[in-house]
Amino acid sequence: MKGNTEVVLSRIIDTQTIAMMLTVKEFDVHDEILAVLKLFKVGDQITKEDVNNELLFMPPDSPYGQNVLRAVEEFGLIKEIKEGRFELTTLGKNAMERGEIPTPKRGVYKVVVSDDPLLQYKILDIQPLESQEEGGNISGSETALPVRARDILEDSLNKIIDLALSDLKSVVIEKFDDHGYILKTSNNVRINLQLATDGDISLKLTGRNEISLKPPDDFKRFDIIKQILSGSGSLTMVDDTEVLLTEAKGLAVNEIRSFSKSFRIGRPSLYDYGDFDPVDVQKMRIMPSNERQAILWASKLLITNIDHYVGEPEYNAIVQETAERFEPLYSQKLIRENLPSYSEVLRKTKERNDQYRNAYWFLMAPYDLSAVKR
């Protein structure tokens, strides 16, 4: 599937910044804990005997092995499934893959959230509020968290979050207070949905830096283009290329001849994903929406193609070439049979039919010259 042009849908996203007390796990290297997690490479479960034998070099029944497992369990990396038997949690699997351990820290943080439907993670940033200068910027009184912000935090608890405004730094929120301070937030965070000509879709967030994000799984270029151009025609695929089916009426001469048109969409909108800033779709491939429109289009195209001196053989060749332009959607035989014959065009030209005004001399000069010879 191919597109005619690259399309970028863009908008400023709404964000909210809150200063609040959090317990946040940040990923750091802890070799002693990673050593325990690596024991799971042998099997799905481990026991204190495994720890004693492989790491501590102590008797299998030593209580030290169990103490180590309990300590790792407090990090949320493993859980006991049967008496004395432990397995990795999702957080533990992730920590083992990345080679870093989420370590809890508690303090006052600035949290940036957004409820934009294109975002996989609604928490965009978490930064410690450390300096006196920063603390002095907090105005007003402590208040209950906004309902949606609290819901976003609740949904994110104990999950790995990649912070888009901090270069996708990973954190885990373990606990948060339900009160905080609402801070002034900047409105310079923009989200861009880029539709490449080869069908690929990319999602980028621009704030302090530009970050690539994961677009929704259900996004397909064809479906998106179809939605934003729905007011201009019906999108279909012809020979693996996007084509907008539209009416011939209102098309400019260059659009009729090139079978392409550029569109300015004032407020493109996607189902469930909201509205975007105005966008230009350049040189979209277009074709007639039905047979009647195809015949009307072909009639206009035929006239524009008479832009040089044309006798009967040349005219018949132009008719054939014109009819072929509408394949494979429409039969060239159908188009050809509905275009005027050479004699009919001459008659209309002689009658000074407005339709053939621009083609008058290109048709009449060769005809008059052949009449002299006759």
Side-chain angles (χ1 to χ4, degrees):
M1 181 179 69
K2 296 182 293 183
N4 306 95
T5 183
E6 181 180 281
V7 178
V8 179
L9 299 176
S10 179
R11 66 175 173 231
I12 295 288
I13 67 172
D14 293 327
T15 60
Q16 191 167 44
T17 305
I18 306 167
M20 57 189 302
M21 185 71 74
L22 289 178
T23 301
V24 177
K25 293 179 178 179
E26 298 184 10
F27 286 83
D28 299 304
V29 176
H30 289 273
D31 291 336
E32 70 282 4
I33 298 176
L34 284 172
V36 176
L37 300 185
K38 289 177 181 178
L39 294 177
F40 285 95
K41 290 185 176 181
V42 178
D44 294 333
Q45 300 172 11
I46 63 172
T47 64
K48 67 177 183 181
E49 287 80 8
D50 297 317
V51 176
N52 285 326
N53 290 334
E54 301 297 330
L55 298 179
L56 303 181
F57 305 107
M58 300 187 73
D61 59 350
S62 169
Y64 287 105
Q66 188 72 8
N67 293 341
V68 168
L69 289 171
R70 291 300 180 196
V72 176
E73 187 179 29
E74 289 183 6
F75 282 85
L77 304 174
I78 61 175
K79 63 180 179 182
E80 190 172 16
I81 54 172
K82 294 179 182 178
E83 187 174 353
R85 305 191 73 82
F86 292 79
E87 70 175 10
L88 283 171
T89 63
T90 301
L91 189 60
K93 292 176 182 176
N94 183 276
M96 186 167 69
E97 290 173 0
R98 70 169 62 226
E100 294 179 320
I101 303 301
T103 307
K105 300 176 183 178
R106 185 160 180 80
V108 180
Y109 290 83
K110 289 191 301 183
V111 181
V112 181
V113 300
S114 174
D115 201 23
D116 194 280
L118 279 173
L119 295 172
Q120 179 183 6
Y121 299 115
K122 308 296 185 184
I123 299 177
L124 300 180
D125 206 9
I126 297 176
Q127 294 287 343
L129 193 71
E130 294 176 337
S131 68
Q132 272 192 330
E133 182 181 341
E134 285 185 298
N137 289 332
I138 296 178
S139 59
S141 57
E142 189 177 35
T143 183
L145 297 183
V147 173
R148 185 54 188 145
R150 188 180 68 242
D151 290 344
I152 289 173
L153 288 161
E154 285 280 2
D155 291 342
S156 304
L157 279 179
N158 298 312
K159 297 176 182 176
I160 297 173
I161 306 164
D162 296 329
L163 302 175
L165 295 182
S166 285
D167 298 325
L168 299 180
K169 173 185 174 182
S170 298
V171 300
V172 177
I173 299 175
E174 190 174 72
K175 189 188 302 182
F176 67 91
D177 290 2
D178 58 3
H179 284 69
Y181 296 87
I182 309 302
L183 305 181
K184 182 179 179 180
T185 190
S186 63
N187 289 323
N188 64 347
V189 182
R190 179 173 289 275
I191 199 162
N192 299 310
L193 184 65
Q194 183 174 339
L195 314 177
T197 56
D198 61 3
D200 284 350
I201 297 176
S202 62
L203 186 67
K204 295 183 179 180
L205 195 73
T206 56
R208 291 187 293 270
N209 300 304
E210 184 177 81
I211 296 295
S212 294
L213 304 177
K214 184 178 182 296
D217 292 333
D218 59 347
F219 270 13
K220 293 180 175 57
R221 178 191 159 97
F222 178 85
D223 296 336
I224 294 173
I225 297 293
K226 184 175 183 178
Q227 285 187 55
I228 66 176
L229 288 178
S230 60
S232 302
S234 175
L235 195 68
T236 189
M237 297 300 298
V238 178
D239 292 337
D240 202 34
T241 299
E242 297 164 349
V243 175
L244 189 71
L245 304 182
T246 187
E247 294 187 355
K249 183 180 179 181
L251 293 179
V253 172
N254 66 311
E255 294 167 346
I256 289 172
R257 300 188 75 163
S258 67
F259 284 71
S260 69
K261 180 179 174 66
S262 296
F263 296 88
R264 174 73 168 175
I265 312 300
R267 194 183 179 189
S269 182
L270 300 182
Y271 306 134
D272 299 328
Y273 294 102
D275 300 330
F276 295 84
D277 295 341
V279 66
D280 293 311
V281 180
Q282 299 286 349
K283 296 182 179 179
M284 185 73 198
R285 176 74 174 165
I286 57 173
M287 288 195 76
S289 54
N290 53 48
E291 288 183 352
R292 180 175 172 275
Q293 290 298 318
I295 294 167
L296 177 59
W297 191 321
S299 298
K300 293 183 175 183
L301 179 61
L302 174 65
I303 295 170
T304 66
N305 284 336
I306 302 174
D307 57 2
H308 55 284
Y309 292 124
V310 171
E312 184 171 8
E314 292 84 3
Y315 177 80
N316 291 334
I318 291 174
V319 168
Q320 179 65 27
E321 291 170 3
T322 299
E324 290 174 353
R325 294 287 303 277
F326 295 86
E327 291 186 320
L329 277 187
Y330 303 103
S331 161
Q332 63 162 295
K333 182 174 182 293
L334 169 75
I335 302 296
R336 193 173 62 248
E337 289 174 348
N338 282 277
L339 291 176
S341 65
Y342 180 67
S343 59
E344 185 179 355
V345 166
L346 279 181
R347 178 179 59 78
K348 289 182 178 180
T349 303
K350 290 175 183 178
E351 294 172 354
R352 301 285 182 163
N353 187 299
D354 285 346
Q355 189 178 11
Y356 293 93
R357 181 185 303 166
N358 293 334
Y360 180 88
W361 290 111
F362 295 128
L363 288 164
M364 292 308 301
Y367 175 77
D368 291 341
L369 182 61
S370 65
V372 170
K373 291 181 178 179
R374 291 196 300 272

